[in-house]
Amino acid sequence: MQIVTSIGAMQRLAKRWQRRGVRVGFVPTMGCLHKGHLSLARRARQLVGRRGRVVVSIYVNPTQFGPKEDFARYPRALARDLTLCRRQGVDIVFVPDNRQMYPSGRSSPFSTYVVEETLSQRMEGASRPAHFRGVTTVVAKLFNIVQPELAVFGAKDFQQAVMVRRMVHDLNFPVKIVVAPTVRESDGLAMSSRNKYLVGGLRDSAGVLWRALQAAREDARNAARPVPAARLKAKLSKLVAATPAARLDYVEFVDPDTLRPVVKVTRGTHMALAVFIGKTRLIDNGRL
Ligand code: AMP
């Protein structure tokens, strides 16, 4: 396994692979890897084959964090991440630094962003202004650096995956976007690097995201006719409010392709929610 820290070196490798017709699968991450991330690397390997190259990037992207968010204390565990990647059979770990990604020198400071203007407006976009601008910008940069044939994203960050797909379509990136299922703990909690923040009783409270999803699923599937979204939202708000240390940020029922909210919830509607557990903001989503 090779560790590449320079953008130039990564681009030269990518060019060489391209000339030789080597297939490249890419998994962008912010590190502090868990089984969810590793499942994406495994999927990339399945898709590019033994002769292909799997590239994992580890980069905590400052532009996708708000000023009051957890950029500074976001968990970092590079040595452990490298061990996990090596064990998983990853070929290249790309670890750029902020100086290269967002130069701030006087002569050529960074000033170009990629902005998606529709899908980014609701849910995560409404709660975290500028978050998606940071995501689309860094993903566009990483695609230009790694030049993969395909990139694997997790369904855990559903709105992000839908938006990246739109960006790739709108800006004609020659990259196929693959979305892999959310990997969960045994009680249903979606694996996340931020679960590290859940100490003591908070870990139990975090189970409420999965319980809310399951409750909505049951209602959507068992109801004789479509369920009004407002009614289901009220029910789930109560469920969250009854959980210690939990505070609902949003719960939305949307069309999975357009992300437009639906008025009536049926089987196949997509649900997404964000809940604060103590100070930690967790998200989850799923098809009902
Ligand atoms: P992050 O490091 O949180 O930016 O995530 C990097 C990639 O891993 C994104 O495509 C996420 O959607 C994906 N991911 C994070 N958690 C999970 C999970 N529990 N299951 C599947 N994919 C995940």
Side-chain angles (χ1 to χ4, degrees):
M1 188 177 83
Q2 204 174 331
I3 298 156
V4 178
T5 56
S6 129
I7 291 177
M10 187 68 241
Q11 278 178 322
R12 284 192 291 281
L13 261 178
K15 285 231 172 69
R16 198 184 317 150
W17 292 332
Q18 226 161 38
R19 274 200 303 274
R20 293 190 192 154
V22 174
R23 305 186 66 185
V24 179
F26 177 43
V27 179
T29 82
M30 298 206 297
C32 194
L33 302 181
H34 51 66
K35 285 180 190 154
H37 297 114
L38 298 176
S39 77
L40 308 187
R42 201 173 316 123
R43 183 70 176 276
R45 172 63 69 201
Q46 280 165 359
L47 292 166
V48 299
R50 259 189 325 122
R51 291 162 178 272
R53 297 288 187 279
V54 172
V55 181
V56 170
S57 65
I58 296 179
Y59 180 58
V60 185
N61 173 37
T63 63
Q64 70 189 67
F65 288 79
K68 292 192 180 140
E69 292 181 359
D70 57 345
F71 172 70
R73 68 181 193 118
Y74 192 85
R76 289 155 170 94
L78 186 60
R80 181 171 171 275
D81 289 349
L82 295 176
T83 305
L84 292 173
C85 284
R86 199 171 281 122
R87 262 194 229 146
Q88 190 60 49
V90 169
D91 297 299
I92 306 281
V93 181
F94 176 53
V95 197
D97 61 20
N98 292 335
R99 227 164 12 103
Q100 286 183 83
M101 291 295 273
Y102 298 105
S104 60
R106 240 194 221 179
S107 55
S108 60
F110 184 89
S111 61
T112 306
Y113 290 86
V114 178
V115 180
E116 193 286 327
E117 297 198 329
T118 304
L119 303 168
S120 61
Q121 297 304 303
R122 297 183 58 84
M123 301 191 282
E124 287 303 284
S127 288
R128 306 180 66 190
H131 169 65
F132 282 129
R133 179 182 88 143
V135 170
T136 39
T137 300
V138 81
V139 171
K141 284 170 69 68
L142 290 168
F143 283 179
N144 284 331
I145 296 165
V146 178
Q147 298 169 44
E149 165 191 329
L150 60 93
V152 189
F153 287 82
K156 152 89 176 8
D157 300 274
F158 156 74
Q159 188 177 8
Q160 168 176 286
V162 173
M163 280 190 49
V164 168
R165 230 188 215 136
R166 174 67 62 86
M167 176 190 82
V168 160
H169 177 263
D170 287 351
L171 300 184
N172 311 102
F173 280 91
V175 181
K176 182 177 180 220
I177 303 301
V178 177
V179 180
T182 303
V183 177
R184 297 179 180 282
E185 304 286 356
S186 55
D187 67 343
L189 176 66
M191 290 193 182
S192 162
S193 309
R194 289 194 169 97
N195 293 353
K196 290 249 177 332
Y197 301 144
L198 304 173
V199 291
L202 297 178
R203 173 62 188 81
D204 278 348
S205 292
V208 74
L209 285 93
W210 174 247
R211 289 205 307 280
L213 258 172
Q214 292 296 75
R217 228 170 231 151
E218 211 167 283
D219 280 11
R221 291 180 184 186
N222 295 342
R225 51 182 89 83
V227 186
R231 196 166 85 204
L232 206 43
K233 276 187 192 180
K235 175 175 170 174
L236 299 180
S237 301
K238 274 193 199 149
L239 181 73
V240 173
T243 305
R247 181 167 62 80
L248 184 66
D249 184 4
Y250 67 78
V251 54
E252 294 279 359
F253 300 97
V254 299
D255 176 286
D257 300 317
T258 62
L259 302 188
R260 279 203 204 103
V262 299
V263 180
K264 302 270 181 171
V265 176
T266 59
R267 203 187 176 111
T269 299
H270 208 92
M271 172 173 147
L273 80 169
V275 179
F276 282 96
I277 303 292
K279 286 186 182 145
T280 302
R281 187 172 174 283
L282 301 177
I283 58 171
D284 205 343
N285 74 90
R287 197 68 63 94
L288 300 185

